[in-house]
Amino acid sequence: MVTIKSDREVSLMREAGQVLARVHKELEEFVKPGLTTLDIDEKCEKLIRSMGAVPSFKGYAGFPASACVSVNEEVIHGIPSNDRIIREGDIVSIDTGVIYKGWQSDAARTHAVGDVDPEILLLIERTRNSFFEGIKKAVAGGRVNDIGAAVEDYIGPFGYGIVEDYVGHGIGKEMHEDPEVPNYTCERRGVKLQKNMTLAVEPMINLGTWEVEVLSNEWTVVTLDGAPSAHYENTILVTDGAPEVLSLLPEEKKLYHVK
């Protein structure tokens, strides 16, 4: 069931979003060659708890960590490990969430580590851009699948693969709520968007094929052809006008020209 938040609940989700935005900003400055993915997860959990929040991923459906840390061809759900060392030229996607005062926020970023191939840097940039193109359609009175159509309209000319097996979602008291938010064009336009709906919009874009598979650990999703993948996600609020991005800091909102 799609939930419409009250103004008070929206205010609490703004607080949760700002906690998560600060966590991601700190992690952006933390990631460097030589760290393990477990180092990143431990830093993430420490930051979340230091801000009075709870890591929503830890224990969710049995997931063992506070962050999904996915490297290069890993699309999502990378399990942090002391054996996985970050190296110069890698790209690292960090997907994490918080529960703050009972409300959830979910966001992901892909980071370039050191000197990264320009083609892969473009993939990261365009994946991020596709999020901002998509949310232009996240307006009360529109339809949820218009978001994904806008993502595909932007990404299509580059020839990248848009992951179809995993999609965005509603969010609120629970991490995953209705509706699903695809990142591609669908036959139907989906549910009507209403003011005070909150969504996690998260394009996952591959340099090669759109096809993916799950590793034997039953969590980590990788590209079928081994090509790199980028991931960008924020929690947003549907309004009568432009959507509000809850999990960006004020200076980031200015940079990307969003509310």
Side-chain angles (χ1 to χ4, degrees):
M1 184 179 76
V2 176
T3 62
I4 308 301
K5 280 67 178 183
S6 68
D7 289 345
R8 177 182 174 277
E9 290 167 343
V10 165
S11 180
L12 291 169
M13 288 196 68
R14 281 194 188 100
E15 292 185 44
Q18 288 305 288
V19 168
L20 185 54
R22 293 199 301 273
V23 168
H24 269 296
K25 191 64 177 176
E26 294 264 9
L27 290 174
E28 179 184 357
E29 297 167 1
F30 179 73
V31 174
K32 62 183 177 182
L35 293 176
T36 68
T37 55
L38 184 61
D39 291 330
I40 295 170
D41 177 65
E42 289 175 344
K43 177 69 170 180
C44 180
E45 181 169 354
K46 183 178 179 181
L47 286 167
I48 290 170
R49 295 193 186 278
S50 74
M51 297 178 191
V54 175
S56 56
F57 286 20
K58 194 162 191 178
Y60 183 83
F63 190 74
S66 296
C68 300
V69 187
S70 307
V71 183
N72 297 333
E73 77 283 357
E74 296 172 349
V75 181
I76 50 172
H77 303 163
I79 297 177
S81 168
N82 208 36
D83 296 325
R84 188 66 187 266
I85 300 171
I86 306 301
R87 305 191 185 282
E88 180 88 11
D90 284 344
I91 62 171
V92 181
S93 297
I94 303 174
D95 185 4
T96 189
V98 302
I99 305 170
Y100 186 73
K101 298 181 180 179
W103 291 88
Q104 304 247 1
S105 193
D106 186 5
R109 309 279 186 265
T110 299
H111 305 286
V113 182
D115 188 14
V116 172
D117 187 300
E119 184 179 33
I120 300 175
L121 290 177
L122 275 176
L123 172 70
I124 296 172
E125 178 186 345
R126 289 166 174 168
T127 300
R128 182 177 61 241
N129 289 347
S130 75
F131 165 85
F132 292 108
E133 289 299 314
I135 67 167
K136 289 177 182 178
K137 298 295 185 178
V139 178
R143 298 281 178 168
V144 68
N145 291 348
D146 294 345
I147 297 171
V151 170
E152 183 167 337
D153 285 347
Y154 173 79
I155 286 295
F158 303 121
Y160 299 145
I162 301 173
V163 174
E164 296 185 7
D165 293 12
Y166 301 88
V167 297
H169 49 90
I171 186 170
K173 279 279 190 181
E174 304 297 328
M175 187 194 307
H176 292 109
E177 298 183 351
D178 291 333
E180 290 191 342
V181 187
N183 299 301
Y184 49 87
T185 302
C186 299
E187 276 190 28
R188 298 183 178 180
R189 294 179 65 203
V191 302
K192 190 173 183 178
L193 297 172
Q194 300 178 57
K195 181 180 177 181
N196 284 14
M197 285 176 62
T198 45
L199 308 171
V201 179
E202 51 176 320
M204 292 156 269
I205 310 297
N206 303 338
L207 191 62
T209 180
W210 63 271
E211 294 178 290
V212 298
E213 62 182 348
V214 181
L215 297 183
S216 60
N217 64 23
E218 299 183 350
W219 276 106
T220 307
V221 178
V222 299
T223 57
L224 197 60
D225 58 4
S229 181
H231 185 195
Y232 188 83
E233 174 186 21
N234 281 301
T235 299
I236 69 165
L237 170 71
V238 177
T239 75
D240 288 328
E244 182 179 343
V245 184
L246 302 181
S247 52
L248 283 178
L249 296 171
E251 59 267 29
E252 293 172 315
K253 293 182 183 186
K254 287 181 181 178
L255 177 64
Y256 299 121
H257 308 289
V258 293
K259 186 174 174 181

